[in-house]
């Protein structure tokens, strides 16, 4: 998915928000913005937005001299997600449609996105969790997802944010119940925004239950050319890919693979491309033959 002009001011706000997480020094914040503006004036705007964000985050990390500026917020939201996990697990177990309930929770976890909203508050997140059970969800798409997952023998589950990955455990469990496929969870190779890394997967207790690999990249989403050969090999061979979050949609919407994107539409550009409204819970199927058009 090519970058829209409206992505540029969003990327700038994202850089400023990330800088403010680690320093109140206005001079440093200004330095980050000046370097980001210079960088954005030179890079290719025809690439997917996450490619530009990857470069911008590199500038931010260099200036603030912190490998992971989002480390503390990732720990905080992982702790919060673990604290409410038992309640949500109970809701899934008591639901008439366990799979549908787990899908809703996995998607609403996508609210934990400090790339889109660096000022995300705990109360806002908790409200979104409660509202997810009343939100509309495309039942046709849900059933297609259920059927595809039940047929698949191998599934690659591309995680998105730290904290969110805790809720993915509920959906991973329901996927196992469908047909007992071999599931591998994928995290980022190095820190970027508040995306989940291997450290975050361990904190979320994912590694205790499922094989977890990293994709070798520090780009948001999944830029295949930037990923490790091992990850690309698995991606090409797997029966089904489940990709969480907007950045995975932006980077994989032209991929030659059977993918179900699970996300909350938080951006008008994404909503327009998908054909939904901002705020919608989205299940979007993509097949190899669609990428040829």
């Amino acid at each position: 998915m090519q970058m829209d002009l409206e992505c540029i001011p969003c990327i700038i706000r994202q850089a400023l928000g990330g800088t403010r997480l680690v320093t109140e020094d206005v001079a440093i914040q200004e330095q980050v913005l000046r370097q980001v503006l210079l960088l954005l004036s030179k890079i290719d705007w025809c690439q997917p937005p996450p490619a530009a964000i990857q470069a911008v985050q590199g500038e931010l990390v260099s200036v603030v001299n912190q490998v992971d500026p989002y480390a503390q917020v990732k720990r905080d939201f992982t702790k919060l997600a673990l604290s409410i996990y038992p309640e949500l697990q109970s809701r899934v177990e008591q639901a008439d449609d366990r799979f549908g309930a787990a899908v809703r929770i996995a998607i609403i976890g996508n609210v934990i996105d400090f790339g889109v909203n660096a000022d995300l508050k705990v109360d806002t997140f908790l409200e979104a969790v409660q509202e997810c059970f009343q939100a509309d969800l495309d039942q046709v798409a849900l059933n297609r997802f259920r059927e595809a997952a039940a047929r698949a023998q191998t599934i690659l589950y591309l995680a998105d944010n730290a904290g969110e990955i805790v809720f993915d455990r509920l959906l991973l469990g329901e996927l196992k119940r469908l047909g007992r496929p071999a599931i591998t969870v994928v995290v980022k190779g190095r820190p970027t925004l508040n995306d989940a890394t291997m450290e975050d997967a361990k904190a979320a207790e994912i590694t205790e239950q499922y094989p977890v690999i990293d994709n070798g990249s520090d780009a948001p989403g999944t830029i295949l050319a930037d990923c490790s050969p091992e990850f690309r090999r698995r991606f090409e061979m797997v029966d089904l890919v489940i990709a969480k979050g907007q950045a995975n949609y932006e980077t994989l919407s032209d991929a030659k693979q059977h993918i179900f994107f699970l996300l909350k539409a938080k951006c008008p550009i994404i909503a327009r491309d998908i054909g939904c409204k901002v705020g919608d819970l989205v299940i979007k199927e993509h097949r190899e033959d669609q990428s040829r058009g």
Side-chain angles (χ1 to χ4, degrees), residues 38-65:
L38 182 61
L39 174 66
L40 288 173
S41 72
K42 296 178 178 180
I43 64 174
D44 179 8
W45 289 9
C46 292
Q47 61 189 337
I53 294 170
Q54 180 186 28
V56 165
Q57 288 297 305
E59 290 291 330
L60 191 164
V61 166
S62 175
V63 174
V64 302
N65 197 28

Side-chain angles (χ1 to χ4, degrees), residues 5-211:
L5 290 179
E6 293 181 34
C7 297
I8 302 302
C10 184
I11 292 172
I12 295 169
R13 286 193 300 272
Q14 183 183 88
L16 179 59
T19 306
R20 285 175 170 167
L21 286 174
V22 294
T23 180
E24 297 179 357
D25 189 326
V26 176
I28 295 177
Q29 294 171 7
E30 178 180 337
Q31 182 183 355
V32 169
L33 287 186
R34 286 185 178 278
Q35 291 188 205
V36 165
L37 288 167
L38 182 61
L39 174 66
L40 288 173
S41 72
K42 296 178 178 180
I43 64 174
D44 179 8
W45 289 9
C46 292
Q47 61 189 337
I53 294 170
Q54 180 186 28
V56 165
Q57 288 297 305
E59 290 291 330
L60 191 164
V61 166
S62 175
V63 174
V64 302
N65 197 28
Q66 289 199 28
V67 173
D68 189 357
Y70 296 82
Q72 187 58 52
V73 295
K74 290 198 294 181
R75 286 192 291 267
D76 290 345
F77 273 85
T78 295
K79 183 178 179 180
L80 173 63
L82 287 169
S83 73
I84 63 175
Y85 179 85
E87 175 189 345
L88 296 178
Q89 182 179 35
S90 178
R91 294 196 67 163
V92 168
E93 292 171 350
Q94 295 172 20
D96 293 335
D97 180 2
R98 292 177 54 132
F99 184 79
V103 168
R104 285 178 179 275
I105 293 169
I107 293 175
I108 207 62
N110 193 226
V111 170
I112 308 175
D113 187 346
F114 283 81
V116 172
N117 181 9
D119 295 320
L120 178 65
K121 300 295 189 294
V122 170
D123 288 347
T124 302
F125 169 65
L126 292 176
E127 288 171 9
V129 169
Q130 294 305 319
E131 291 169 0
C132 80
F133 292 97
Q134 283 73 50
D136 291 335
L137 189 65
D138 186 334
Q139 293 300 306
V140 173
L142 174 64
N143 288 331
R144 287 184 63 85
F145 177 35
R146 190 195 323 261
E147 292 163 4
R151 292 193 302 268
Q153 294 184 6
T154 53
I155 293 176
L156 208 57
Y157 193 101
L158 309 186
D160 191 18
N161 298 320
E164 174 183 350
I165 196 172
V166 173
F167 301 140
D168 289 332
R169 287 166 47 191
L170 295 168
L171 179 52
L172 290 165
E174 294 306 308
L175 289 167
K176 278 290 189 183
R177 284 168 53 87
L178 283 177
R180 300 204 172 275
I183 302 173
T184 301
V185 178
V186 182
V187 295
K188 297 299 184 294
R190 297 180 300 281
T192 182
L193 299 175
N194 66 317
D195 287 16
T197 61
M198 189 66 71
E199 180 181 354
D200 302 308
K202 291 176 181 177
E205 302 173 10
I206 292 279
T207 55
E208 298 174 10
Q209 303 175 49
Y210 301 95

Side-chain angles (χ1 to χ4, degrees), residues 145 148-149 152 154-157 238-242 257-260:
F145 177 35
T154 53
I155 293 176
L156 208 57
Y157 193 101
V238 77
D239 294 334
L240 182 67
V241 176
I242 299 171
Q257 183 56 280
H258 190 189
I259 305 173
F260 275 90

Side-chain angles (χ1 to χ4, degrees), residues 207-222:
T207 55
E208 298 174 10
Q209 303 175 49
Y210 301 95
V212 181
I213 63 171
D214 71 66
N215 67 1
S217 171
D218 63 354
T222 307

